[in-house]
Amino acid sequence: MIRLTGVLAGTVALATSLALGAVPTDPAVATQATEAATEARGFDPAAFADPPSDSRPAFYWYWTGNVTPDVVDAQMAEMRDKGVYEAVLFPYGGDKMQPAFFTDAWFDIVEHVLREAQRTGMRIWLFNDSNFPSGKAGGIIANGGTVGDKTYEPSPELRLKALQRSTRVVEGPATIDPAESSGLSVEGGRLVVDAAIREGAHPISSGATWGDYTATGKVTLTASGAQLVVRASEDGSRGYLVDVDVKGKASVWRLDGGSRTRLTTGVNTPGFSPRREQTISVTVAGDRIQPVINKTVQPVAVDATYAAGAPAVSAEFGGVGIEDAVEGLQRVQWNDLTVTDPAGAALWSETFDDSEAIGDFGGPLVRLKDTVAAAARPTGSPDGGDLVELTPNLEDGSWSVPAGRWQVDTFAHTTLVDDTSGYHRGYLNLLDPDATDRLLEVVQGETCAASAGRWARWCPASGTTSRSSPRPSRGPSSGSPGPMVSRT
């Protein structure tokens, strides 16, 4: 259906009423009247059925895997066969895409595509990054890298910034430093265990004497993995660590203070994905530690070093040496966690509906760096009038806690240097002019430098390239490709 409004709708209505008011009897006159009415409507059926190339659908052209001239030629021919003459060249394969983003081979294959587009009357847009969304220059700025003959040193200070929240539950009267916190928080009914705030285990305080039990919880993990410790010591430095990777492999390690020993290597869990909630269950009985991930039974570890100790949530630097993992500080979210004895009776259970549950966990406190705000309130209180402003207390490091049970929330600046939701955090803080300038310098500047002498019409050398002299063209040039070359 075509909806017409305003002057155009009035014109069509007038033409239609004129045609209906005097119905011609001569077929030739009728045809002319119909054509006149069609022209008045501004609609050409022939042009609609076969529109010009710049009025046809366009789409993202995702590049993954091994990109070769034969592959792109075949896909461009298929586009034209389907009536598509415009696409956004979209590198989406990450580290597995070859040639790698912004290498010499990458610019060579892009040039090949543009030449083929020129020859066949297509228009190709160049997406200004690797993967989606744009804003990281393929990681070259944050992590460092080489483009052509220029090396960029890492600039981690330009990464995304955020506020991190850590919660502590305290019993008053007492005196505390509001900058010291647990490293835990509760968000949206989930317990957040973020190694960027504190690495290591957070044992359940009431479970120090538990021996045989099963700890089960639903967890959302990052591409760096997730952890659960059983029979943990009060400080979390000893016990049995169950380390779950992005394939659902649950390996068991014995923690002995500053050292650890691998006891088992896990197996893949079918259908396991860090992007979906998973179930982790660990049973300790006698000298046996048995993990189960979803319904996949993992190899059992046998060790009699520790006979008792609490379950503990944990997060640390993970993903090392694991295919499809992202090495970095883990950030794990528990939807619920239950501990039962061998008969199935509940020893402890929590759904993390509010932050008061954080008071059940022990382990060392951490002093947050670069704190910006803090506040306290009685646990469970939703009343804003109960809030106590503690930001001034951050400077002198002391607050006298009134009688009762209090929730203390402390906020600090942080730089997102690791994975938090399945994406590698090479993204830049584009609210920072320095980061924005660097992004334009690297992506647009290097693209123009690579195209010097070929696409000068679209990338003028003056004030655009990131070098004092443009990179020489790779091979002979036949002139500008013309208006089919565009860039975002």
Side-chain angles (χ1 to χ4, degrees), residues 190-464:
R190 296 175 183 270
L191 176 69
V192 180
V193 189
D194 192 343
I197 303 177
R198 177 170 86 75
E199 289 192 78
H202 304 259
I204 298 172
S205 300
S206 60
T209 61
W210 295 344
D212 293 352
Y213 55 81
T214 298
T216 303
K218 294 180 179 179
V219 62
T220 303
L221 59 152
T222 67
S224 300
Q227 297 181 339
L228 185 67
V229 181
V230 291
R231 290 183 179 167
S233 60
E234 290 187 5
D235 65 357
S237 67
R238 291 174 170 79
Y240 299 106
L241 168 67
V242 179
D243 186 59
V244 184
D245 70 18
V246 292
K247 299 289 189 180
K249 294 179 181 178
S251 301
V252 181
W253 300 72
R254 188 182 69 236
L255 303 179
D256 301 302
S259 65
R260 62 182 60 188
T261 303
R262 182 190 287 271
L263 302 178
T264 64
T265 298
V267 298
N268 288 349
T269 295
F272 189 92
S273 171
R275 297 182 182 275
R276 297 192 300 270
E277 190 173 78
Q278 310 295 325
T279 299
I280 296 177
S281 180
V282 183
T283 298
V284 280
D287 61 355
R288 298 171 64 85
I289 304 99
Q290 175 68 77
V292 177
I293 308 301
N294 295 336
K295 297 182 179 181
T296 299
V297 178
Q298 299 286 318
V300 63
V302 179
D303 188 273
T305 304
Y306 303 112
V313 294
S314 179
E316 59 183 19
F317 193 94
V320 180
I322 300 169
E323 184 181 3
D324 295 333
V326 175
E327 294 186 10
L329 295 169
Q330 299 168 343
R331 188 176 192 268
V332 183
Q333 300 180 61
W334 293 88
N335 188 32
D336 57 49
L337 186 61
T338 299
V339 185
T340 57
D341 67 15
L347 296 173
W348 182 90
S349 183
E350 184 58 61
T351 56
F352 307 113
D353 296 323
D354 56 52
S355 297
E356 187 172 0
I358 292 175
D360 290 355
F361 293 90
L365 298 174
V366 61
R367 183 174 179 81
L368 301 182
K369 299 178 181 179
D370 201 11
T371 54
V372 294
R377 58 177 169 169
T379 56
S381 173
D383 188 350
D386 290 339
L387 284 173
V388 178
E389 175 63 70
L390 298 182
T391 302
N393 300 74
L394 291 171
E395 186 172 348
D396 58 29
S398 178
W399 178 53
S400 297
V401 185
R405 189 172 173 86
W406 291 79
Q407 172 183 328
V408 181
D409 293 308
T410 306
F411 299 86
H413 283 300
T414 186
T415 301
L416 298 181
V417 297
D418 296 291
D419 177 78
T420 59
S421 59
Y423 289 98
H424 188 61
R425 291 292 177 181
Y427 285 101
L428 306 178
N429 176 24
L430 297 183
L431 296 178
D432 180 349
D434 290 340
T436 303
D437 289 346
R438 188 73 63 82
L439 180 68
L440 294 173
E441 173 192 353
V442 172
V443 180
Q444 274 79 355
E446 291 292 350
T447 299
C448 292
S451 64
R454 295 176 176 172
W455 315 324
R457 174 176 178 181
W458 301 101
C459 293
S462 176
T464 306

